Amino acid sequence: LFYPESAMLCFYLFEVTARITAFGKMYFCGKWRHSAWNWLDIIVVTAGVFDLWINRKLHLGSGLMGKILTMLRLLRLLRVLKIVRVFMDADLSWAESPAFQSFIGIVIVFNSLV
């Protein structure tokens, strides 16, 4: 799983770097709602870099540093919150249209019959 995780980490690292480049200081100091998510992104990506790459090179798995890295590993679970961020920023007004609601109703009926 090292290579798929490294590929995803590279993607996230690129994403954070591109956002910092595009937004500059506003990435860190913008509206509280956005800057909090941005700081969360930085923390999660940094924890991933330490856990996946630096820990493998320096073999820091024991002692106090090992416990700190375990805590950083737990921070990787916060990636799920990125999905929440997408939904909070998305315009979901299209889901209120009668056509979409009819389609969902048909899917529900079909699934109940199968």
Side-chain angles (χ1 to χ4, degrees), residues 43-61:
I43 291 169
V44 169
V45 170
T46 303
V49 167
F50 272 103
D51 182 43
L52 197 59
W53 295 334
I54 294 176
N55 187 26
R56 284 185 183 263
K57 295 292 181 193
L58 301 179
H59 305 290
L60 301 172

Side-chain angles (χ1 to χ4, degrees), residues 14-30:
F14 173 75
E15 177 192 12
V16 168
T17 305
R19 284 179 179 237
I20 291 172
T21 304
F23 295 115
K25 292 180 183 178
M26 290 303 294
Y27 185 80
F28 300 104
C29 303

Side-chain angles (χ1 to χ4, degrees), residues 33-85:
R33 181 176 158 215
H34 293 291
S35 64
W37 286 108
N38 294 340
W39 280 104
L40 176 67
D41 288 345
I42 290 172
I43 291 169
V44 169
V45 170
T46 303
V49 167
F50 272 103
D51 182 43
L52 197 59
W53 295 334
I54 294 176
N55 187 26
R56 284 185 183 263
K57 295 292 181 193
L58 301 179
H59 305 290
L60 301 172
S62 62
L64 178 63
M65 193 55 118
K67 290 179 183 180
I68 292 172
L69 286 173
T70 301
M71 298 291 262
L72 288 175
R73 241 179 249 126
L74 290 174
L75 286 176
R76 291 172 62 193
L77 294 173
L78 295 177
R79 286 185 196 168
V80 176
L81 292 178
K82 288 181 71 116
I83 296 170
V84 173
R85 176 185 184 179

